[in-house]
Amino acid sequence: MALGQALTLTAALFLQSRECELTEVTFQEDAEYLHLVSLYRAGHPSEAIREIGNLDIAVVKRLIQSEAPGMSDDCLQAASILETELAMTLAENSLWQNADSHFEAAWQISLLIELTYQGERATPVRRLRFQRDWLLAAGLFNHQLIFMNVAEKAFVRADRFLHNAVRLYPNDPEVLLAAGSLLEWSGSLREGEPSHLKEAEELYARALRLTPDEPEILLRHGVVLEKLEKEDEARPPLRRVLELETRKDLIYRSRMVLGKMAERAGRLVEAIAHYEAALDAIPSWQVAYVALGHALHTSGSHDRAREELDRALAMDMKSADATLGGWWSYELGVALRFEPLFERMRAEVTK
Amino acid sequence: MSLAGLVLLLIAAPQEPRPLFRVSTEAVQVDVFVGEDGRAVTGLGPEDFELYDDGVLRNVDSVAVAEVPLNVVLVLDVSESVEGVALTQLRSAADKFLDELSPEDRAALVTFSHHLSLRSDLTSDPAPLKQALSKVEAVGGTSWHDALFAALEMLEAVRERPVVLLFTDGADTYSWLREEQVVSLVSRSNAVVYAITRGERAAIPDLGTTRAQERFRQNRRERFRRTRLLLDVTRESGGRLIETSSSGPLEESFLEILAEMKTRYILTYSPPAPVRNGWHELEVKVKRKGVDVHARRGYHYEARR
């Protein structure tokens, strides 16, 4: 037997042992759905997310309506996280309508488990509550506040879910960072909740007391302080990010905020230097060209300003900046923020 | 010519296509629309206008109309909110607008969502713009502040009738530039900015709770603020804002604006040397009762060194 075949067989056996089941499978699509949840549990999240996105949402709705008879808690929880990851992916690609139904499915699946354990204070339920509250809050915040008119009920629900989630894990830097970013985003919106900026700042400060040199938390703390117009307090954490050997996107963002503050104070030379340094870090993100163009324009360097804007305008919509992982997805508070949490949640259902 | 340094069009002797600017030969051009009961007033001459520069009455040397070609940058919102019927309507309206341009006119196309794209540079051939429009997809957020900046910068070196036609149906959520920066850029540009906006009005919610009432008020305030900024930007430049219903066709608005562009007057006058550096308040009046006059509120002058 060839080594490849042996590995395939091993993987198949491994998968089989984790195969999710229902008491009765009536439709072929149900079997496919169960197989993809199993695939997710077996450590193939990307493939499972991609494939499950091709299935009709009616499949999961049917599963929920029938209360998924015979499906184990681990499988249900995996399905819930998988649905959420799919919803996040759709949201990141601006497919909000589709994302909504998967957020809702994730929430309803987690509810199935919680109802089973109602009244118990077991850890799995606590974890599940966190997952459900946190992820639904994320979905609601991102969707309802940004792209639609503020929906009163959705906002109140999201607010409550988020605070519940943070209360469950008050000393987890990752949770504090993730929650802070949602609050920060909400607080930055004109239709959002102004007090959320202050709350975000407090969560980041708490997270930094636990992990003082975590670059991403330093960056977010600096950003939110700048938004709160506490520029003197914002500069040290942002400069600290530059001192640390960290990811280029974090360097880029720190430079941009430092540049913005310098420009606002009329220190155009300094602002231009920051924007240029941002572009040194990542030349393929559009926003720094716009910022640099404006700073050059203000400083009277019109030919150079036009050059930078020409570069910005020539950038393809399909560039990294315009799609996943770029400047804007970070500002949405979606992709980078949630991945560590998803990893932990996945680990819970695959161990 | 720099956008910041010399905003209003300062022209030299007409026989020099790219003149060196000297105060003694400079002239100021002011792009003006005169309307009465919503219709353009035509047939006016220099003697019909009064032009005040920093409160001082100046002689209008000449008045030109229609024969001066347009240089229009279409700045169109292709964010997610425009997806579907709205995008079809937008394409159709832009196509009609391009069809109605004169052969001498030039147009460019910039689209924006959270990402800016130059789809076609200034050209008198509408075909590449139409082709680009047919391929546009509506996706992402809205960044019209940045897009307007890009359009103004594109028009910065254009001497003949630079105009921006901005369409957006949402609040700006992704621009790098802040509101005050946008207004400042427009005031320092020589372009006339027109804008068309549309959008859903927030339905009156169940006002059962104080919080719901506050959110509704907040939403209304936000709508007002968004419209206010577009109004400020268009007025600052001497253009106009048209608000349309959320689902109606856009063609009428686009063509209305084009008709208005075609009936604007270009007033030319020569400020006596030396021209003071800095901001100059402008006021244009027409010696006739009951007419509306749209002209930029001033210009920024900086002597060339």
Side-chain angles (χ1 to χ4, degrees), chain A residues 62-77:
Chain A
R62 190 165 56 224
L63 186 81
I64 294 163
Q65 273 174 356
S66 68
E67 296 184 12
M71 201 161 162
S72 70
D73 288 352
D74 275 356
C75 282
L76 278 173
Q77 194 174 343

Side-chain angles (χ1 to χ4, degrees), chain A residues 131-191:
Chain A
Q131 175 204 315
R132 191 194 65 199
D133 289 350
W134 159 256
L135 294 174
L136 192 65
L140 288 168
F141 265 112
N142 279 301
H143 187 163
Q144 300 291 353
L145 287 179
I146 299 166
F147 291 100
M148 301 181 77
N149 288 330
V150 173
E152 167 66 9
K153 284 179 185 169
F155 187 89
V156 173
R157 276 174 83 196
D159 214 22
R160 193 176 66 240
F161 287 143
L162 188 67
H163 288 108
N164 285 345
V166 173
R167 266 198 294 274
L168 287 169
Y169 290 86
N171 294 313
D172 184 326
E174 203 56 65
V175 170
L176 295 172
L177 172 63
S181 74
L182 276 185
L183 291 166
E184 184 189 331
W185 179 241
S186 159
S188 305
L189 295 169
R190 288 171 195 147
E191 307 95 326

Side-chain angles (χ1 to χ4, degrees), chain A residues 300 302, chain B residues 2 4-7 10 26 188 275-278 280 299-305:
Chain A
H302 303 289
Chain B
S2 76
L6 182 56
V7 181
L10 290 171
E26 280 171 348
R188 287 166 170 266
V275 181
R276 178 181 55 78
N277 277 353
H280 290 242
Y299 66 96
H300 192 89
Y301 176 75
E302 197 171 288
R304 298 209 147 215
R305 296 179 183 128

Side-chain angles (χ1 to χ4, degrees), chain A residues 94 96 147 152 155 190-193 256 275 286 291 294 297 302 309 313 315-317 322 328 332, chain B residues 2-4 80 114-116 118 140 149 153-154 172 174 176-177 179 181 185 211 215 218 222 225:
Chain A
S94 300
W96 298 94
F147 291 100
E152 167 66 9
F155 187 89
R190 288 171 195 147
E191 307 95 326
E193 182 63 54
M256 292 299 289
Y275 297 145
Q286 190 183 64
H294 185 262
H297 168 85
H302 303 289
L309 275 174
L313 288 168
M315 294 181 85
D316 197 310
M317 182 66 193
W328 297 121
L332 282 171
Chain B
S2 76
L3 185 65
E80 193 211 12
H114 54 275
H115 185 92
L116 313 181
L118 175 61
F149 169 45
E153 196 68 47
M154 283 173 66
D172 193 309
Y174 291 95
W176 178 256
L177 297 176
E179 292 180 4
Q181 289 175 307
L185 285 162
R211 191 183 172 91
R215 292 227 154 267
Q218 211 172 333
E222 172 51 30
R225 200 164 87 131

Side-chain angles (χ1 to χ4, degrees), chain B residues 13 34 89 101 112 171 185 192 204-205 207 211 215 279:
Chain B
V34 184
Q89 290 176 337
L101 288 175
F112 64 91
L185 285 162
V192 177
I204 296 175
L207 297 180
R211 191 183 172 91
R215 292 227 154 267
W279 178 253

Side-chain angles (χ1 to χ4, degrees), chain A residues 18 33 48 65 81 91 102 112 114 126 128-129 201 216 228 239 275 279 282 311 330:
Chain A
R18 297 169 171 275
Y33 189 86
Q65 273 174 356
I81 305 171
H102 289 285
L112 285 179
E114 191 178 344
R126 184 166 172 257
L128 201 67
R129 275 190 192 142
E201 193 273 318
E216 188 155 11
L228 289 165
R239 286 186 177 140
Y275 297 145
L279 285 169
I282 304 182
R311 287 194 184 101
Y330 183 85

Side-chain angles (χ1 to χ4, degrees), chain B residues 143-178:
Chain B
S143 60
W144 71 260
H145 301 177
D146 289 356
L148 181 57
F149 169 45
L152 295 175
E153 196 68 47
M154 283 173 66
L155 290 169
E156 183 256 341
V158 170
R159 288 158 198 281
E160 287 186 327
R161 306 200 63 191
V163 183
V164 174
L165 172 50
L166 168 71
F167 166 79
T168 182
D169 74 343
D172 193 309
T173 44
Y174 291 95
S175 277
W176 178 256
L177 297 176
R178 302 184 306 277

